[in-house]
Amino acid sequence: MINKALFKKPNNRLEGEQEAARDAEPTVVCAECKDTLPRAAVAGTDFVCPRCGTPLAMGARERIRWLTDEGSFQETETGHRAVDRLGFPGYAEKLVKAQRDSGEPEGVLTGLAAVDGEPCALFVMEPYFIMGSMGAVVGEKITRLFELATQECLPVIGYTVSGGARIQEGMFSLMQMAKTSGAVLRHSEKGLLYAAVLTHPTTGGVVASFAMEADVILAEPKAQIGFTGPRVIEQTMRQKLPPGFQRSEFMLQKGFIDRIVPRNAQKKELSMLLKLHGRGGRA
Amino acid sequence: MTTAYERVQAARRKGRPTADYYMQRLFTDFLEMHGDRRYGDDPAIVAGVGRLTGRPVTVIALEKGVTTEEKISRNFGSAHPEGYRKALRQMKLAEKFRRPVVCIIDTAGAFCGVGAEERGQGQAIAENLMVMMGLTVPIITVFIGEGYSGGALALGVADRVWMLENAVYSVISPEGAASIVWKDAGKATEACEALHMTAQDLLACGMAERVFSEEDGDFDKVCSALGTALADELVALSALDAETLTVKRYARFRAMGGEET
């Protein structure tokens, strides 16, 4: 059983973790205007490009630190490491590089946290780990988080970022779509809230599973959201894509997301949602 | 020893029976039901109700088409969101009328195009996965040729997954994998092996329960074996109550890629 004291526990495991290689980099590049900014200029802010207002890529741990109440995050399922089940050529090296790039062992962080005093289960995908590619560990950790939330009657908040399936894990990757969907369904059947925040980019198998299965789907401005990436569509169809295709604003217009929420309003909106849904079943 | 690449070639071979061939031989009184009641009718998916050895079943199939004209009209078996939503509608009817669902898969994947994206390809597949996980009637999915990506999985969340000897099932087509991983679509042969995508591979890791011999190309014989197996298995699965059925279905997928690390 998880008791309430857990949420008050001062031990925030964000500290003392291995520092990511990117933290040593002095600059960050805006995906939209390609402006190169000193990292110091955005650190401690909402991590938005000062020139064009586009949300900049945020590491999972960085985002958790930014979003959750200080000291509230209690990380779960920290022991999982990718297994090269297929002996896929080059995968072992790719994992080493991803771990170095992100400073994380895998592509998602999960845990229990509080947002503006509201307890929730939280998963945040890691853009610096092969762009949040979904392998078995990502699927397993998210599944376990939903199972824990179901058991503890907690709402789930999930931040997604993903280039899609992790091809190097073959069918083990594809099956995570089914597995996570089963866990989302069981959580939903208990009357609990699941709110997803789609960030740039959220594509492939993640869009075609838990990203689109949330009760409330929020998105960051200008995020690319779609099943097939634009490059593949252009190559396959020899078709030039219209401007803004698959961006959050386009997806909102087409009816596939509920709201576009800028960084500086996310914490407030998420806590409002948690309160409006009676703590997702706990009220 | 047949290589994975040879299996893929066999699965794609011109003249290999498509879904319609099996449907003609497995089911009687089949009535096709069109449309998703939202946008349109997707000819890449054939869905409806028929009988298997006398008992009503819902049948949903990805159909590549046989003649060139038919292949074009069926978009070579690559479905749009309205196809998956048509399938979903039929699955919900199957649940209402307490009849099992048989899915037949043969597809190069969900269609990638502007229209498919605008109409929510990702959302359509996601919804199928979630609804199928909780569907309270038995689902058996049979792979008869190719099956790639979420476009195959969208009809693949089943209690039993069966594959023909030369059927393949993969997270992505070998060409797609080669072009993403090695930036060279020409390395598809290597990708076939690396992806572990044959029926034999999937049987070995528990993602398929049965592999059916292709009887040296005598597909009438294959149909007869499939028909008997389907009839027997549906009787067995129908004996389970809804709770047990869905718990077991979740457990089937829950175990995949999930061992303690």
Side-chain angles (χ1 to χ4, degrees):
Chain A
M1 265 312 272
I2 282 142
N3 59 43
K4 284 176 186 165
L6 199 132
F7 295 105
K8 295 174 188 131
K9 221 170 166 183
N11 170 31
N12 191 327
R13 292 199 191 168
L14 290 169
E15 288 152 33
E17 290 283 338
Q18 185 189 343
E19 278 302 300
R22 66 171 191 285
D23 282 351
E25 289 169 19
T27 58
V28 57
V29 180
C30 172
E32 188 70 18
C33 69
K34 312 290 176 203
D35 207 9
T36 304
L37 310 149
R39 183 165 279 274
V42 288
T45 69
D46 288 328
F47 233 74
V48 168
C49 176
R51 195 164 97 176
C52 70
T54 303
L56 301 166
M58 242 176 150
R61 219 164 272 280
E62 210 159 23
R63 195 185 282 275
I64 291 169
R65 195 182 289 131
W66 164 83
L67 176 73
T68 61
D69 296 352
E70 196 180 344
S72 73
F73 183 66
Q74 181 76 13
E75 191 173 351
T76 57
E77 307 295 345
T78 55
H80 301 263
R81 300 292 181 273
V83 179
D84 185 12
R85 289 181 174 83
L86 308 183
F88 201 99
Y91 185 36
E93 296 77 14
K94 199 172 178 72
L95 285 172
V96 170
K97 184 180 181 305
Q99 284 162 357
R100 208 175 48 226
D101 289 349
S102 63
E104 297 296 342
E106 253 292 344
V108 70
L109 294 182
T110 60
L112 301 173
V115 176
D116 202 10
E118 296 296 312
C120 63
L122 174 71
F123 72 85
V124 179
M125 298 183 78
E126 174 59 68
Y128 295 101
F129 196 101
I130 326 179
M131 193 46 88
S133 117
M134 179 156 65
V137 169
V138 170
E140 181 70 14
K141 286 182 75 172
I142 289 174
T143 298
R144 288 186 184 215
L145 185 77
F146 273 95
E147 288 175 343
L148 176 66
T150 306
Q151 191 191 318
E152 303 296 332
C153 287
L154 282 170
V156 172
I157 291 175
Y159 271 82
T160 63
V161 59
S162 185
R166 194 171 300 172
I167 292 169
Q168 292 85 353
E169 292 190 18
M171 286 292 288
F172 287 96
S173 171
L174 189 72
M175 291 301 118
Q176 304 313 310
M177 293 168 64
K179 186 163 100 180
T180 52
S181 297
V184 173
L185 175 69
R186 273 159 176 69
H187 182 256
S188 180
E189 283 175 343
K190 219 170 165 185
L192 298 164
L193 172 72
Y194 165 32
V197 187
L198 279 45
T199 75
H200 178 76
T202 295
T203 59
V206 168
V207 155
S209 61
F210 56 84
M212 280 290 158
E213 289 166 350
D215 302 306
V216 178
I217 305 178
L218 308 179
E220 295 201 318
K222 298 179 194 171
Q224 187 208 319
I225 300 161
F227 181 59
T228 309
R231 200 172 46 90
V232 176
I233 298 177
E234 284 189 337
Q235 281 171 1
T236 318
M237 303 309 298
R238 294 185 179 83
Q239 192 174 1
K240 197 74 197 143
L241 297 171
F245 181 69
Q246 285 183 332
R247 295 301 188 99
S248 308
E249 296 72 16
F250 172 94
M251 294 302 278
L252 183 79
Q253 191 206 345
K254 295 293 172 193
F256 290 103
I257 57 177
D258 290 293
R259 298 176 61 78
I260 295 173
V261 188
R263 284 259 165 91
N264 62 11
Q266 283 173 21
K267 189 166 179 161
K268 182 162 165 276
E269 286 214 9
L270 286 170
S271 73
M272 277 171 72
L273 276 172
L274 293 172
K275 289 186 178 92
L276 281 166
H277 290 82
R279 294 185 175 183
R282 282 167 64 100
Chain B
M1 179 70 189
T2 315
T3 67
Y5 183 62
E6 285 164 348
R7 302 269 188 212
V8 171
Q9 283 179 312
R12 291 173 176 173
R13 191 164 293 139
K14 197 172 183 298
R16 183 180 175 87
T18 63
D20 180 65
Y21 179 94
Y22 298 92
M23 289 169 73
Q24 299 268 0
R25 285 156 185 80
L26 290 172
F27 308 108
T28 53
D29 292 351
F30 181 74
L31 289 176
E32 184 175 359
M33 304 295 169
H34 292 276
D36 70 343
R37 305 293 190 275
R38 298 286 184 274
Y39 175 81
D41 184 46
D42 184 351
I45 289 185
V46 177
V49 57
R51 288 180 192 275
L52 177 79
T53 55
R55 94 185 262 163
V57 290
T58 287
V59 184
I60 302 165
L62 278 153
E63 173 60 56
K64 282 184 172 176
V66 178
T67 64
T68 305
E69 197 177 47
E70 192 199 356
K71 282 178 182 167
I72 292 167
S73 82
R74 295 198 182 278
N75 200 28
F76 301 86
S78 283
H80 280 76
E82 49 272 23
Y84 296 114
R85 292 186 184 122
K86 168 164 72 177
L88 189 68
R89 208 181 92 75
Q90 291 304 320
M91 286 190 256
K92 286 182 173 170
L93 284 174
E95 190 170 54
K96 174 176 175 180
F97 294 103
R98 312 304 308 160
R99 58 186 180 232
V101 179
V102 176
C103 297
I104 300 175
I105 293 186
D106 191 12
T107 182
F111 188 64
C112 68
V114 172
E117 292 295 322
E118 285 179 338
R119 300 197 289 278
Q121 190 71 285
Q123 187 277 334
I125 294 170
E127 188 171 3
N128 278 22
L129 303 186
M130 201 153 102
V131 171
M132 289 180 87
M133 266 296 175
L135 205 77
T136 56
V137 291
I139 307 172
I140 297 180
T141 295
V142 185
F143 284 76
I144 59 165
E146 294 179 284
Y148 303 134
S149 93
L153 183 64
L155 299 180
V157 182
D159 303 300
R160 300 286 183 268
V161 168
W162 294 348
M163 300 181 73
L164 299 195
E165 186 185 335
N166 288 316
V168 291
Y169 184 13
S170 169
V171 63
I172 187 171
S173 72
E175 290 76 14
S179 77
I180 291 174
V181 176
W182 296 299
K183 315 282 176 220
D184 179 3
K187 289 196 171 165
T189 314
E190 289 97 307
C192 288
E193 297 295 336
L195 287 165
H196 289 68
M197 60 192 285
T198 67
Q200 297 71 26
D201 290 330
L202 299 196
L203 184 72
C205 68
M207 291 182 195
E209 277 78 18
R210 282 188 71 164
V211 176
F212 287 80
S213 160
E214 292 186 7
E215 309 287 354
D216 294 319
D218 184 346
F219 284 94
D220 277 343
K221 250 170 129 176
V222 176
C223 281
S224 148
L226 252 182
T228 307
L230 279 171
D232 290 349
E233 196 66 32
L234 288 178
V235 167
L237 289 171
S238 299
L240 303 174
D241 62 84
E243 172 75 10
T244 309
L245 187 71
T246 52
V247 164
K248 279 173 176 270
R249 191 180 302 142
Y250 180 52
R252 183 186 183 278
F253 290 91
R254 182 68 188 81
M256 292 173 189
E259 55 261 63
E260 199 60 59
T261 45

